[in-house]
């Protein structure tokens, strides 16, 4: 089996690459020639990956690598994935997260329709939620350019599946974190900030809306669900979540308490970090994924927070 992963240098790409290598796959990692992104997350497996150069904005480059390397599975994880940045760069976000998906699917349609395709959809598509918890049938109401672009990516995947018989599945993944999460994301900002305060490197942590609630799981668990989707006889769409919602404030409390700190003495609210259109509550119902894929999360919310704090403590203590 040969898998092509777009976005292989990201959090999910690195965990998926590890997982597939353990399964005996040959792993192809798509990278951009102009990319300034580091290979830090995959440094330990870099020698076992074949890197291929292409860009989601360049249709022909995608066609060429699929034609040349003949993957049996394609996992499209590449995206402009930071929600706040999508307000600053809404057009670029649309080109990567919406049109980029269509370009990969079009390449599969043209080269080999037997390729199995996974699309990274997002709980941000639910936005202003129409029901709680959210299921595969919940209507979308995105509240950011990122969420809007992901809705296009989701539906174009369904369209190519139904129109051309491509085994194309979407995973509607709720928030999933790890020590490999980028420092710009709120969870990593919290654990990094808490550790810096513990070590006396700073005294304050500025955050936005502490009342937002999210369904947080471990990224290493969630890539297993991606693979399970491509192994099914029939393609489908699945919510991947824990079924629990926790507020940003709870994430803060859990991080600071683990370090024996009182968050109220250090955390301040900064209006600069509040979204133009807030998403107040995201909580998924993973029962369909449990039933059809046999998938269950293995890491609890508390374990996830402590894992991230431990990793940041190790990193910052050794600097």
């Amino acid at each position: 089996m040969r898998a092509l992963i777009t976005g292989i240098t990201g959090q999910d790409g690195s965990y998926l690459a590890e997982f597939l290598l353990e399964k005996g796959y040959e792993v192809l990692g798509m990278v951009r020639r102009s990319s300034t992104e580091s290979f830090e997350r995959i440094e330990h497996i870099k020698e076992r990956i074949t890197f291929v150069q292409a860009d989601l904005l360049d249709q022909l480059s995608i066609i060429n690598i699929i034609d040349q390397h003949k993957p049996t599975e394609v996992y499209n994880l590449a995206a402009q994935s930071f929600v706040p940045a999508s307000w600053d760069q809404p057009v670029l976000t649309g080109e990567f997260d919406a049109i980029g998906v269509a370009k990969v699917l079009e390449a599969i349609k043209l080269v080999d329709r037997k390729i199995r395709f996974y699309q990274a959809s997002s709980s941000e598509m639910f936005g202003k939620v129409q029901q709680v918890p959210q299921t595969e049938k919940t209507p979308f109401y995105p509240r950011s350019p990122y969420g809007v672009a992901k809705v296009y990516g989701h539906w174009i995947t369904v369209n190519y599946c139904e129109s051309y018989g491509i085994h194309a599945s979407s995973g509607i993944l709720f928030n999933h974190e790890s020590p490999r999460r980028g420092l710009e994301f709120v969870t990593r900002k919290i654990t990094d900030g808490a550790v810096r305060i513990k070590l006396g490197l700073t005294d304050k942590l500025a955050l936005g809306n502490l009342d937002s609630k999210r369904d947080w799981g471990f990224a290493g668990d969630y890539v297993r669900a991606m693979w399970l989707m491509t192994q099914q006889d029939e393609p489908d769409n699945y919510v991947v979540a824990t079924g629990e919602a926790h507020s940003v404030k709870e994430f803060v409390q859990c991080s600071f308490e683990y370090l024996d700190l009182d968050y109220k003495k250090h955390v301040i609210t900064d209006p600069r970090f509040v979204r133009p259109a807030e998403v107040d509550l995201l909580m998924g119902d993973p029962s369909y994924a449990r039933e059809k894929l046999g998938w269950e999360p293995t890491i609890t919310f508390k374990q996830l927070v402590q894992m991230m704090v431990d990793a940041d403590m190790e990193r910052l203590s050794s600097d």
Side-chain angles (χ1 to χ4, degrees), residues 137-316:
K137 306 296 184 189
T138 303
F140 300 135
Y141 195 140
R143 296 264 283 172
S144 66
Y146 170 82
V148 172
K150 280 291 185 180
V151 170
Y152 177 97
H154 180 85
W155 282 116
I156 201 71
T157 300
V158 172
N159 191 255
Y160 269 69
C161 175
E162 294 177 351
S163 302
Y164 303 114
I166 296 169
H167 192 295
S169 298
S170 288
I172 306 173
L173 270 57
F174 281 66
N175 293 60
H176 46 290
E177 317 297 322
S178 76
R180 300 179 193 174
R181 189 54 134 163
L183 282 165
E184 70 273 22
F185 289 86
V186 68
T187 50
R188 188 70 195 291
K189 190 177 176 182
I190 291 165
T191 59
D192 174 81
V195 168
R196 286 177 185 277
I197 291 166
K198 182 67 176 179
L199 295 175
L201 300 174
T202 187
D203 189 48
K204 297 298 178 190
L205 173 61
L207 298 170
N209 182 5
L210 297 182
D211 296 321
S212 288
K213 290 187 173 181
R214 294 292 184 271
D215 186 325
W216 276 302
F218 173 52
D221 281 339
Y222 286 37
V223 299
R224 183 163 36 89
M226 298 176 188
W227 176 76
L228 286 167
M229 289 177 214
T230 63
Q231 307 312 301
Q232 302 306 302
D233 291 338
E234 298 296 329
D236 209 340
N237 304 315
Y238 298 88
V239 162
V240 181
T242 68
E244 296 178 13
H246 297 273
S247 68
V248 175
K249 187 183 291 182
E250 284 178 78
F251 204 105
V252 169
Q253 263 178 310
C254 194
S255 301
F256 277 72
E257 283 174 6
Y258 186 50
L259 293 168
D260 199 26
L261 293 169
D262 181 358
Y263 81 93
K264 292 176 184 174
K265 294 179 180 177
H266 304 283
V267 174
I268 56 174
T269 302
D270 189 329
R272 287 180 304 153
F273 301 125
V274 177
R275 295 180 180 186
E278 189 56 74
V279 174
D280 299 313
L281 169 64
L282 293 174
M283 184 173 73
D285 177 357
S287 54
Y288 187 61
R290 186 185 303 120
E291 174 196 334
K292 298 286 285 189
L293 304 176
W295 178 85
E296 293 272 8
T298 65
I299 302 293
T300 66
F301 174 75
K302 188 175 181 180
Q303 287 171 331
L304 173 65
V305 174
Q306 294 182 353
M307 174 199 303
M308 292 174 69
V309 170
D310 286 340
D312 279 325
M313 178 60 80
E314 184 180 342
R315 177 179 60 88
L316 289 166

Side-chain angles (χ1 to χ4, degrees), residues 5-117:
I5 303 173
T6 75
I8 195 165
T9 59
Q11 169 188 258
D12 293 7
S14 67
Y15 281 110
L16 180 61
E18 279 178 349
F19 179 84
L20 294 177
L21 286 168
E22 286 172 13
K23 291 277 181 192
Y25 276 68
E26 180 184 342
V27 174
L28 308 167
M30 190 177 108
V31 292
R32 287 180 289 154
R33 183 181 295 275
S34 61
S35 179
T36 55
E37 197 165 9
S38 78
F39 286 72
E40 181 185 354
R41 295 181 180 98
I42 50 172
E43 196 63 48
H44 60 298
I45 52 173
K46 199 174 168 185
E47 300 306 316
R48 300 169 63 194
I49 296 167
T50 302
F51 293 99
V52 292
Q53 290 185 335
D55 195 310
L56 284 185
L57 303 185
D58 182 0
Q59 175 78 79
L60 192 56
S61 69
I62 302 168
I63 292 170
N64 285 341
I65 62 167
I66 289 178
D67 186 39
Q68 183 181 343
H69 294 277
K70 297 178 171 45
T72 49
E73 297 168 10
V74 173
Y75 296 85
N76 184 41
L77 310 186
Q80 190 300 98
S81 60
F82 188 44
V83 177
S86 73
W87 275 283
D88 297 325
Q89 296 183 299
V91 176
L92 184 70
T93 300
E95 287 173 343
F96 276 117
D97 299 7
I99 304 304
V101 185
K103 288 179 178 175
V104 179
L105 286 162
E106 186 66 10
I108 291 171
K109 185 192 86 174
L110 292 171
V111 178
D112 180 4
R113 299 184 188 186
K114 294 190 296 295
I115 292 171
R116 296 194 169 199
F117 177 76

